[in-house]
């Protein structure tokens, strides 16, 4: 947990670019006592439904660290402080609306210029010319959209994002949202650091937080998962990443140091040191000297910090006849004191002294000894470093004398969909149990991932967020994966078992393919309606949708699965072609071909279940209505008065006029669906009109989530500020077909046996089904316009 004493001061803005938003200055009470600003500006950008007050955790940490530096070094030696500004976006749902993101990006551009005016009292040479952007979740996308303007990008030197989905939007139900991601899919001028929560973040798909090479190169920034961040070493929840003490303290520390740095390379070096542990160990002025016998040219030395150690200071010399200083690399690994406590530690977490400094040395030759001098650390273990390569799932380690092992898997498939079970057995022994590090690095090192399992003595589960990911170009998925083990000679690893964890893998599939469960049921519904209309064309009787689903299950499901598998095999064989990774389930590995069949059967069963629930609800309503009105049961969906009213409304076009002038098309659609449900519930379940009404209502119900999401965004903005609501879409095409077909049904309309109209309607259903299966998982926004076209063709078949 983190603690702070926050206060927020609204920044006066005589001509704000957007009346829904506001800009605040954060001040830590008791510490930020300056009446005028003299520090380095930082702009915090909240994410989806985020609050401007989320800045308090990191801003408070920066103020407290700066105050400690001033107390320690004096007023002039504490460096320049950070002035945190925060944007109040009214907690809008930016993940659901591209229009909201555009409005936020435009406000960010203006806010940067407004922030600079807060420093007009300073001499020109002391005024800041650049701002640091600190963004959470979808705020990172708004920030990247803002800096896609080169003029604004020149005013930003660092962009630090937390749990931001950089590669794929959380919801793909808007074409404009994909257009935003296409626009920002290019390198930006500012230095870009992305922090990712990993598997603990259930709101954002973990692999979408990584930075692919087309967005950032190794010289322009990096992405890192918090499981590998020194002193954090754990996954972090989507919201907790802004207040988790270890993470927020490190962010504040990094921003303070980068604010003092001059060059871009120096700022990147600071970020890599703090978030990746890449730092040079300083040579000590004195200290204890210990010798380690050299057995191989690759040696690993594990050192533990002393209780009062504030830094890592060590020097390494290789001595044969003479002693020579040799270069070495070092990084921190967790080493909790309590061997039986859960990791990561509860409460304050891992303390600085509860870590080991792992030093890797390349000796000049495999003889002599290595002299280690340090006044801050003591040697815990030292010995050779071994590299093992295996293709087996179970193997025994023969190199018992090794201090560190790197185990590489020749047949390992690095996929974000797979969860693996790792079992490590050690004999009864003295000393600390082995420490396991699961490491993966992207092809161009734009994203790194490490996860530590200290004192492992039981089964652990390995999650990968890099490698082969759905809907990502397969060429970017080439990663290096390794298992690194640190151990004492008295307690070595004896046996390692690696297997796939089926239940965990299924859980990742469900969370990864959330849009598939929205798209593929529409494909199955389209096929069922196609079966229904073909039966009507042959027999003159409109089969029920229940009969169509049963016939579909008996005759078509197996054939559809075979077609999908064939298409997936073709997709894999032509993987060099661009954009193929966006089709079907986005998998380009032969091992995931059965996933196509699993998802097809899964969604078919889900579609049948949803149909059963809708039919049950409407049938129950019908029975209740019949019992309430037993004397004059209603067999006609409407009265003559209702028919007359509906004709007038259709002729006058009043609903369409309202959509064109005021209300969003989503309102008209949902009103049409409500009217249809009501009319169907007033008929007997055995009547053909009722069955046909249920069919239409089911297709429109599957479209309702697309409408409801946008409507919620618009309704909330209207509720928060009715005078300045969010701009809405008044496209008549998304309202007209629904209004037309409901109006025709209210008048008792049923499909006519006209060959041309039936053929056009059948073709529309086939296109809808194909698009749902092939494109729906990634380009879900393509389905509503096709479905509305199907409704329009059905209306012509009824007319």
């Amino acid at each position: 947990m983190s603690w702070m004493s926050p206060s927020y001061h609204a920044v006066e803005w005589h001509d704000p670019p957007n009346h829904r938003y506001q800009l605040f200055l954060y001040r830590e009470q008791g510490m930020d006592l300056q009446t005028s600003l003299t520090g380095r500006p930082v702009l915090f950008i909240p994410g989806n439904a985020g609050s401007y007050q989320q800045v308090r955790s990191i801003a408070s940490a920066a103020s407290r660290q700066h105050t400690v530096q001033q107390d320690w070094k004096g007023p002039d030696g504490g460096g320049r402080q950070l002035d945190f500004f925060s944007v109040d976006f009214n907690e809008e749902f930016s993940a659901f609306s591209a229009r909201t993101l555009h409005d936020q990006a435009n406000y960010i551009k203006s806010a940067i210029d407004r922030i600079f005016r807060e420093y007009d009292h300073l001499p020109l040479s002391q005024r800041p010319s650049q701002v640091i952007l600190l963004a959470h979740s979808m705020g990172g996308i708004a920030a990247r959209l803002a800096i896609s303007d080169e003029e604004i990008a020149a005013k930003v030197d660092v962009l630090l994002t937390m749990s931001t989905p950089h590669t794929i939007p959380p919801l793909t139900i808007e074409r404009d949202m994909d257009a935003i991601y296409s626009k920002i899919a290019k390198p930006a001028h500012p230095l870009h650091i992305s922090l990712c929560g990993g598997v603990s973040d259930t709101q954002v798909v973990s692999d979408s937080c990584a930075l692919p090479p087309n967005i950032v190169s190794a010289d322009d920034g990096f992405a890192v998962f918090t499981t590998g961040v020194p002193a954090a070493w754990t996954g972090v929840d989507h919201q907790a990443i802004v207040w988790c003490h270890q993470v927020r303290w490190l962010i504040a520390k990094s921003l303070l140091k980068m604010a003092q740095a001059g060059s871009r390379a120096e700022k990147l070096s600071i970020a890599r040191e703090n978030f990746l542990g890449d730092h040079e160990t300083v040579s000590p002025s004195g200290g204890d000297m210990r010798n380690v016998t050299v057995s191989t040219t690759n040696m690993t030395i594990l050192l533990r910090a002393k209780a009062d150690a504030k830094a890592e200071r060590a020097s390494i010399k290789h001595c044969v006849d003479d002693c020579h200083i040799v270069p070495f690399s070092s990084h921190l690994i967790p080493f909790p004191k309590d061997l039986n406590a859960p990791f990561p530690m509860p409460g304050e977490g891992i303390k600085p002294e509860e870590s080991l400094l792992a030093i890797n040395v390349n000796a000049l030759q495999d003889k002599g000894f290595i002299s280690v001098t340090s006044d801050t650390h003591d040697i815990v273990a030292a010995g050779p470093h071994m590299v093992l390569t295996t293709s087996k799932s179970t193997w025994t380690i023969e190199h018992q004398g090794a201090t560190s092992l790197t185990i590489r898997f020749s047949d390992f498939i690095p996929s974000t969909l797979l969860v693996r079970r790792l079992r490590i057995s050690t004999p009864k022994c003295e000393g600390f149990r082995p420490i396991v590090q699961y490491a993966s690095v992207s092809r161009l090192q734009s994203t790194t991932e490490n996860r530590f399992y200290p004192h492992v003595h039981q089964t652990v589960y390995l999650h990968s967020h890099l490698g082969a990911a759905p809907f990502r170009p397969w060429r970017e998925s080439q990663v290096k994966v390794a298992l690194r083990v640190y151990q004492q000679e008295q307690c070595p690893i004896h046996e390692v078992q690696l297997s796939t964890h089926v239940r965990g893998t299924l859980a990742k599939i469900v969370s990864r393919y959330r849009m598939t469960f929205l798209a593929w049921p529409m494909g199955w519904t389209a096929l069922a309606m196609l079966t229904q209309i073909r039966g009507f064309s042959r027999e003159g009787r409109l089969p029920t949708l229940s009969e169509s689903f049963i016939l579909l299950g008996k005759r078509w499901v197996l054939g559809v699965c075979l077609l999908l598998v064939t298409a997936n095999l073709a997709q894999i064989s032509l993987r060099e072609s661009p954009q193929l990774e966006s089709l079907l389930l986005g998998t380009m590995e032969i091992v995931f071909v059965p996933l196509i069949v699993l998802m097809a059967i899964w969604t078919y069963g889900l579609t049948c279940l949803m149909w059963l629930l809708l039919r049950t609800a409407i049938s129950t309503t019908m029975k209740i209505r019949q019992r309430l009105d037993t004397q004059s049961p209603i067999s006609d969906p409407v009265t003559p008065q209702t028919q007359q009213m509906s004709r007038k409304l259709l002729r006058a076009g009043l609903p369409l006029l309202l959509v064109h002038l005021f209300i969003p098309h989503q309102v008209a659609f949902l009103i049409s669906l409500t009217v249809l449900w009501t009319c169907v519930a007033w008929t007997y379940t055995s009547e053909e009109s009722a069955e046909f009404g249920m069919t239409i209502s089911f297709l429109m119900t599957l479209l309702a989530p697309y409408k409801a999401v946008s409507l919620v965004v618009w309704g909330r903005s209207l509720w928060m500020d009715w005078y300045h609501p969010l701009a809405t879409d008044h496209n008549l095409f998304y309202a007209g077909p629904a209004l037309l077909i409901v109006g025709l049904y209210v008048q008792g309309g049923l499909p006519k046996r006209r060959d041309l109209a039936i053929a056009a309607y059948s073709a529309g259903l086939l296109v809808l089904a194909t698009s749902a299966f092939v494109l729906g998982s990634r380009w879900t926004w393509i389905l509503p316009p096709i479905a509305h076209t199907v409704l329009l063709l059905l209306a012509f078949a009824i007319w």
Side-chain angles (χ1 to χ4, degrees):
M1 289 296 294
S2 53
W3 306 92
M4 70 290 299
S5 302
S7 65
Y8 308 91
H9 307 277
V11 177
E12 296 297 332
W13 207 323
H14 298 295
D15 187 21
N18 193 314
H19 293 278
R20 300 199 313 273
Y21 306 146
Q22 197 170 359
L23 183 65
F24 286 89
L25 170 66
Y26 179 89
R27 298 276 89 180
E28 182 75 4
Q29 299 182 57
M31 293 188 180
D32 296 333
L33 304 177
Q34 301 87 346
T35 56
S36 59
L37 302 182
T38 58
R40 181 66 181 276
V42 179
L43 178 60
F44 175 76
I45 306 166
N48 177 64
S51 169
Y52 70 95
Q53 297 183 17
Q54 289 176 305
V55 71
R56 63 186 182 270
S57 298
I58 298 173
S60 173
S63 295
R64 294 170 187 268
Q65 291 184 51
H66 177 72
T67 301
V68 171
Q69 289 178 5
Q70 283 190 319
D71 294 340
W72 180 35
K73 299 181 179 179
D76 298 329
R80 195 171 183 179
Q81 74 174 101
L82 300 177
D83 298 323
F84 281 85
F85 295 84
S86 185
V87 182
D88 180 12
F89 283 142
N90 245 332
E91 300 184 15
E92 289 182 337
F93 298 133
S94 55
F96 305 150
S97 172
R99 291 175 183 265
T100 300
L101 279 178
H102 278 291
D103 288 350
Q104 292 182 358
N106 291 331
Y107 190 85
I108 292 170
K109 296 178 184 179
S110 301
I112 291 174
D113 291 330
R114 177 63 187 87
I115 288 172
F116 289 148
R117 293 203 294 272
E118 289 292 304
Y119 299 87
D120 287 345
H121 62 280
L122 296 176
L124 189 61
S125 60
Q126 298 181 17
R127 297 176 187 174
S129 59
Q130 290 185 313
V131 64
I132 297 173
L133 295 184
L134 178 65
H136 174 241
S137 188
M138 292 301 292
I141 302 302
R144 289 178 57 196
L145 184 58
I147 63 177
S148 62
D149 184 340
E150 295 183 1
E151 182 179 350
I152 299 299
K155 301 176 182 179
V156 178
D157 63 341
V158 177
L159 169 62
L160 195 154
T161 60
M162 300 169 286
S163 297
T164 295
H166 288 294
T167 57
I168 298 178
L171 295 176
T172 54
I173 59 177
E174 276 192 321
R175 181 178 182 179
D176 291 343
M177 184 68 76
D178 266 310
I180 288 177
Y181 272 75
S182 298
K183 183 177 182 179
I184 64 178
K186 60 181 181 180
H189 171 74
L191 194 65
H192 189 176
I193 312 299
S194 173
L195 299 182
C196 310
V199 72
S200 298
D201 188 347
T202 57
Q203 296 186 37
V204 169
V205 176
S206 301
D207 51 84
S208 70
C209 184
L211 290 176
N214 65 303
I215 294 179
V216 62
S217 66
D219 297 329
D220 297 324
F222 59 88
V224 60
F225 289 85
T226 55
T227 51
V229 173
W233 286 316
T234 182
V236 181
D237 176 74
H238 187 74
Q239 300 296 335
I241 198 168
V242 297
W243 57 257
C244 173
H245 175 67
Q246 286 78 9
V247 177
R248 66 113 184 191
W249 198 261
L250 201 55
I251 291 174
K253 177 182 177 182
S254 303
L255 295 182
L256 281 168
K257 286 186 176 181
M258 285 192 284
Q260 316 306 323
S263 66
R264 180 186 180 92
E266 187 178 355
K267 293 176 182 178
L268 179 59
S269 177
I270 292 171
R272 295 187 68 89
E273 175 184 347
N274 288 330
F275 296 117
L276 300 180
D278 295 346
H279 62 280
E280 295 183 2
T281 304
V282 181
S283 298
S285 57
D288 300 330
M289 181 183 298
R290 291 189 59 182
N291 297 330
V292 176
T293 303
V294 174
S295 56
T296 65
T297 55
N298 296 323
M299 299 289 293
T300 296
I301 304 170
L302 302 181
L303 300 97
R304 186 170 189 174
K306 298 179 180 179
D308 56 347
K310 301 296 183 182
E312 295 89 27
R313 294 195 296 268
S315 64
I316 306 295
K317 293 181 180 180
H318 184 201
C319 303
V320 182
D321 296 327
D322 298 321
C323 294
H324 302 277
I325 296 177
V326 292
F328 61 91
S329 61
S330 63
H331 61 277
L332 293 174
I333 59 177
F335 189 73
K337 292 180 180 179
D338 191 345
L339 304 185
N340 298 314
F343 178 79
M345 298 289 288
E348 292 298 322
I350 294 291
K351 299 176 177 60
E353 62 271 19
E354 293 186 302
S355 62
L356 294 180
L357 182 64
I359 293 180
N360 299 315
V361 182
N362 291 325
L364 302 176
Q365 48 186 313
D366 58 352
K367 59 182 180 179
F369 62 90
I370 290 177
S371 175
V372 181
T373 304
S374 177
D375 58 351
T376 59
H377 288 69
D378 296 322
I379 294 179
V380 174
H385 169 71
M386 300 293 181
V387 178
L388 309 177
T389 302
T390 181
S391 59
K392 299 178 181 179
S393 59
T394 302
W395 66 95
T396 302
I397 306 298
E398 299 177 356
H399 303 278
Q400 302 294 350
T403 298
S404 67
L405 299 170
T406 297
I407 305 173
R408 295 174 180 169
F409 311 97
S410 58
D411 296 333
F412 190 88
I413 301 175
S415 173
T416 63
L417 294 179
L418 293 177
V419 177
R420 290 180 169 85
R421 182 190 291 111
L422 178 68
R423 290 190 177 98
I424 294 180
S425 61
T426 58
K428 293 183 178 179
C429 54
E430 298 180 356
F432 69 82
R433 290 187 293 268
I435 300 172
V436 176
Q437 176 188 7
Y438 178 66
S440 52
V441 181
S442 64
R443 182 167 55 98
L444 297 181
Q445 297 186 351
S446 57
T447 304
T448 60
E449 178 187 16
N450 291 291
R451 189 172 185 91
F452 292 91
Y453 303 90
H455 307 315
V456 62
H457 64 286
Q458 57 186 356
T459 301
V460 297
Y461 297 96
L462 307 180
H463 303 263
S464 177
H465 306 301
L466 301 180
F471 314 118
R472 210 163 65 189
W474 74 276
R475 290 174 295 277
E476 295 179 3
S477 65
Q478 301 173 8
V479 299
K480 297 178 180 179
V481 177
L483 204 64
R484 296 170 185 165
V485 180
Y486 302 92
Q487 60 187 10
Q488 279 186 323
E489 186 177 359
Q490 299 87 345
C491 193
I493 280 182
H494 179 69
E495 188 179 69
V496 177
Q497 295 180 348
L498 188 67
S499 60
T500 301
H501 186 231
V502 177
R503 188 173 61 182
T505 300
L506 290 177
K508 293 204 74 174
I509 289 173
V510 171
S511 63
R512 189 62 181 84
Y513 287 109
R514 62 187 74 173
M515 301 311 297
T516 303
F517 291 101
L518 183 64
W520 283 29
M522 189 172 292
W524 288 118
T525 301
L527 290 179
M529 294 175 68
L530 182 60
T531 304
Q532 183 186 49
I533 199 65
R534 285 186 174 180
F536 172 73
S537 181
R538 290 193 307 267
E539 304 172 4
R541 182 188 70 86
L542 192 69
T544 66
L545 197 59
S546 298
E547 295 172 344
S548 300
F549 272 122
I550 294 174
L551 185 62
L552 184 64
K554 291 181 178 179
R555 298 183 181 180
W556 285 32
V557 169
L558 180 59
V560 171
C561 290
L562 291 176
L563 284 175
L564 293 175
V565 168
T566 303
N568 189 213
L569 292 175
Q571 178 187 20
I572 295 172
S573 63
L574 300 173
R575 61 175 62 182
E576 293 286 351
S577 302
Q579 296 295 322
L580 276 183
E581 69 276 355
S582 300
L583 306 181
L584 296 173
L585 297 181
T587 53
M588 307 294 284
E589 299 79 27
I590 195 71
V591 69
F592 289 116
V593 171
L595 180 59
I596 292 283
V597 179
L598 173 65
M599 195 63 70
I601 296 176
W602 206 341
T603 52
Y604 173 73
L606 178 63
T607 308
C608 293
L609 177 61
M610 289 189 295
W611 163 248
L612 180 62
L613 292 176
L614 178 67
R615 181 180 175 83
T616 302
I618 294 179
S619 300
T620 303
T621 306
M622 289 179 179
K623 293 178 180 179
I624 294 174
R625 175 58 186 168
Q626 292 174 24
R627 291 182 180 179
L628 294 177
D629 197 357
T630 55
Q631 295 182 354
S632 56
I634 299 175
S635 59
D636 199 318
V638 291
T639 63
Q641 291 80 6
T642 307
Q643 291 182 356
Q644 185 177 5
M645 183 181 299
S646 65
R647 290 192 188 99
K648 289 181 179 180
L649 288 176
L650 287 173
R651 290 172 184 172
L654 180 60
L656 294 180
L657 182 62
L658 291 175
V659 170
H660 178 68
L661 295 177
F662 176 68
I663 65 174
H665 67 78
Q666 292 91 347
V667 175
F669 180 88
L670 293 180
I671 290 176
S672 302
L673 180 58
T674 303
V675 171
L676 182 60
W677 280 341
T678 304
C679 292
V680 172
W682 278 48
T683 65
Y684 289 125
T685 58
S686 60
E687 291 195 356
E688 190 177 22
S689 60
E691 294 292 344
F692 178 61
M694 288 186 189
T695 300
I696 303 173
S697 64
F698 187 57
L699 178 61
M700 292 178 63
T701 300
L702 294 179
L703 281 171
Y706 299 87
K707 314 296 181 180
V709 169
S710 299
L711 196 58
V712 166
V713 175
W714 175 74
R716 192 184 183 284
S717 70
L718 191 66
W719 175 264
M720 298 299 295
D721 187 358
W722 66 271
Y723 194 69
H724 302 99
L726 182 70
T728 55
D729 189 358
H730 300 279
N731 192 334
L732 298 181
F733 175 71
Y734 290 104
L739 289 169
L740 179 61
I741 198 167
V742 171
L744 292 173
Y745 175 76
V746 167
Q747 298 180 62
L750 290 172
K752 310 296 190 302
R753 296 186 67 181
R754 296 195 297 267
D755 293 341
L756 182 61
I758 295 298
Y761 174 57
S762 301
L765 289 172
L766 187 59
V767 171
L768 177 60
T770 304
S771 301
F773 289 120
V774 178
L775 303 173
S777 295
R778 175 61 183 89
W779 313 104
T780 319
W781 50 264
I782 204 172
L783 299 183
I786 299 176
H788 283 282
T789 303
V790 168
L791 291 175
L792 187 60
L793 294 173
L794 179 57
F796 286 134
I798 297 173
W799 198 280

